[in-house]
Amino acid sequence: MRYTEDEIYRQLRETMQKLFELDSEKVVADARLYEDLDIDSIDAVNMIIEIKQVTGKPIAAQHFREARTVADVVRIVDQIVNYDA
Amino acid sequence: MATGISFVLFGAGTLLMSLVFLVFVRLAPVSQSTKQRWILSCIKGLSAFFVGFMQFLGLYTLEVRGQSLDSIRGNLIVANHPSLIDALFITAKTNDLCCVVKADLYSNPFTGYIVKLAGYIPNHSETLLNDAASAISQGKNLLIFPEGTRNTFDDQLDFKRGAANVALYSCCPITPVVIEFYPRNLQKGGKWYIAPARTSTIIMTTYPPLANLDEKDQQRPVTLQARQLTQTLRDFYQDRINEFDSRTDYTLVERGYPRHAG
């Protein structure tokens, strides 16, 4: 099934609330993962594992290596769940 | 002057050690893990010599308190980081110690070869958690400075979560070491060629391992446990620093605070 961008944002906010106790209003497109949301590289790996479990899709950590903002993460998840085989 | 001699000696010592390992150890017909243990022993011995030598030159007086580091295995040792030579105090006293080190040590001509041969772990490594867990399971100790770099003043305590994540992933105890170094010398941005007015006193105290998180906290996502554990560590060091305050008479400047702090 295809996920809309809104659904991906909603899911990401839920994941970030669960893993980092982040308020939803902080999880906006241009929020920077490290500087604004205090998500370091080990946090990012744990977040990817969680996203893998939620979407049921195989996701490799290196897809996210260049991700700097929430928008980047959403874009990458969108690519994986909606376009990749 | 004494500081200058120490820098030269450190440079010479590391180069000599690199050379010895490059030429002799590399060719020795023993296993890689044996070679690594040799190197770690050698680092321990050289560190002890160097620490003693600087004391002999009058750069500081050193007092070692608390638990002995000598008998511990499979622990994560953490320490605050007031000076350039902090790691040496710990490598001098600890057996089979694998350090998690800053990237720039790999490109430094004096330390570069040694950190690679010793099997130290770069702090930005993508395999940090696995490598750390592997070292612990082999009975090695790990050293991490949660601040990641030298601080400028005591309660800066800008602790990153790497240490907590390693301890949680490797399921190992955390042994905190507290380093008091007054007056401050060899700190980040400090002018090493200007000796402080009075000889520095260094007190290194090793405390018993930190208690694990409560049962119920251990059920939380590991990302939250790492945040909680890092805060616990910070609080521990803050308490020790508050104790310094009550028993020392060093000026704020001697303790690394900017001149205008009040």
Side-chain angles (χ1 to χ4, degrees):
Chain A
M1 68 166 274
R2 288 205 49 155
Y3 294 87
T4 66
E5 196 181 87
D6 276 347
E7 277 164 352
I8 296 174
Y9 264 100
R10 190 191 52 76
Q11 187 57 59
L12 193 60
R13 286 194 179 100
E14 214 172 280
T15 298
M16 287 188 172
Q17 156 70 19
K18 174 183 173 190
L19 292 187
F20 313 120
E21 290 181 334
L22 277 174
D23 291 331
S24 296
E25 59 251 23
K26 286 210 173 117
V27 184
V28 293
D30 53 5
R32 293 165 302 174
L33 299 172
Y34 185 63
E35 295 88 343
D36 300 325
L37 304 180
D38 190 26
I39 295 173
D40 64 24
S41 54
I42 296 176
D43 289 329
V45 171
N46 284 313
M47 183 175 72
I48 290 162
I49 291 170
E50 180 76 11
I51 294 173
K52 253 203 273 210
Q53 283 171 353
V54 166
T55 62
K57 290 271 185 168
I59 300 179
Q62 54 249 42
H63 288 136
F64 289 86
R65 206 177 277 151
E66 302 305 315
R68 293 285 174 270
T69 63
V70 167
D72 291 340
V73 174
V74 169
R75 195 174 29 80
I76 296 165
V77 171
D78 177 53
Q79 176 68 36
I80 292 168
V81 304
N82 289 326
Y83 296 102
D84 290 352
Chain B
M1 173 65 173
T3 317
I5 295 174
S6 303
F7 273 113
V8 170
L9 190 69
F10 183 82
T14 52
L15 282 179
L16 184 65
M17 188 176 146
S18 297
L19 206 61
V20 166
F21 285 123
L22 187 61
V23 173
F24 295 107
V25 175
R26 211 151 63 101
L27 303 172
V30 295
S31 68
Q32 196 53 35
S33 65
T34 304
K35 285 184 194 179
Q36 224 173 60
R37 294 208 127 94
W38 281 357
I39 292 167
L40 295 185
S41 295
C42 197
I43 290 173
K44 180 172 187 256
L46 270 180
S47 301
F49 167 73
F50 193 55
V51 165
F53 186 73
M54 287 190 287
Q55 201 167 348
F56 169 72
L57 285 182
L59 269 176
Y60 51 75
T61 58
L62 172 67
E63 201 187 312
V64 176
R65 295 183 186 171
Q67 320 267 98
S68 163
L69 283 168
D70 199 62
S71 53
I72 71 171
R73 286 285 189 284
N75 267 225
L76 170 61
I77 300 169
V78 299
N80 57 327
H81 206 351
S83 87
L84 187 59
I85 50 179
D86 296 335
L88 293 175
F89 303 136
I90 299 169
T91 55
K93 295 279 181 200
T94 316
N95 291 306
D96 286 323
L97 180 67
C98 174
C99 301
V100 174
V101 297
K102 281 170 70 168
D104 51 15
L105 282 184
Y106 287 85
S107 44
N108 181 305
F110 298 103
T111 55
Y113 192 59
I114 292 173
V115 294
K116 286 192 204 100
L117 268 180
Y120 286 176
I121 303 171
N123 67 355
H124 60 275
S125 166
E126 284 187 358
T127 54
L128 171 68
L129 290 183
N130 284 331
D131 294 342
S134 179
I136 293 284
S137 68
Q138 288 165 31
K140 288 186 185 166
N141 294 303
L142 281 173
L143 170 62
I144 296 182
F145 290 105
E147 289 165 291
T149 188
R150 284 171 289 166
N151 60 45
T152 329
F153 53 90
D154 294 331
D155 49 10
Q156 206 170 345
L157 294 180
D158 184 18
F159 278 21
K160 313 286 188 279
R161 294 189 290 272
N165 272 306
V166 164
L168 289 167
Y169 192 78
S170 311
C171 301
C172 68
I174 299 177
T175 293
V177 170
V178 177
I179 300 174
E180 301 172 51
F181 197 135
Y182 307 120
R184 288 285 194 123
N185 195 9
L186 300 171
Q187 74 272 42
K188 196 187 264 289
K191 298 178 171 55
W192 61 265
Y193 41 84
I194 298 174
R198 40 181 170 170
T199 308
S200 298
T201 301
I202 304 174
I203 303 174
M204 178 177 110
T205 312
T206 303
Y207 289 88
L210 284 185
N212 287 335
L213 293 178
D214 283 341
E215 277 289 323
K216 63 168 171 54
D217 290 326
Q218 288 180 35
Q219 307 308 316
R220 303 168 87 206
V222 72
T223 43
L224 293 177
Q225 291 184 52
R227 281 155 168 77
Q228 187 180 346
L229 189 50
T230 302
Q231 188 57 46
T232 302
L233 258 179
R234 266 192 111 257
D235 291 343
F236 179 87
Y237 277 87
Q238 183 67 66
D239 289 343
R240 305 287 81 74
I241 286 163
N242 294 342
E243 284 166 24
F244 304 164
D245 284 349
S246 65
R247 58 178 167 77
T248 64
D249 64 348
Y250 293 103
T251 65
L252 285 176
V253 170
E254 284 179 318
R255 295 184 56 190
Y257 292 92
R259 277 181 201 280
H260 55 269

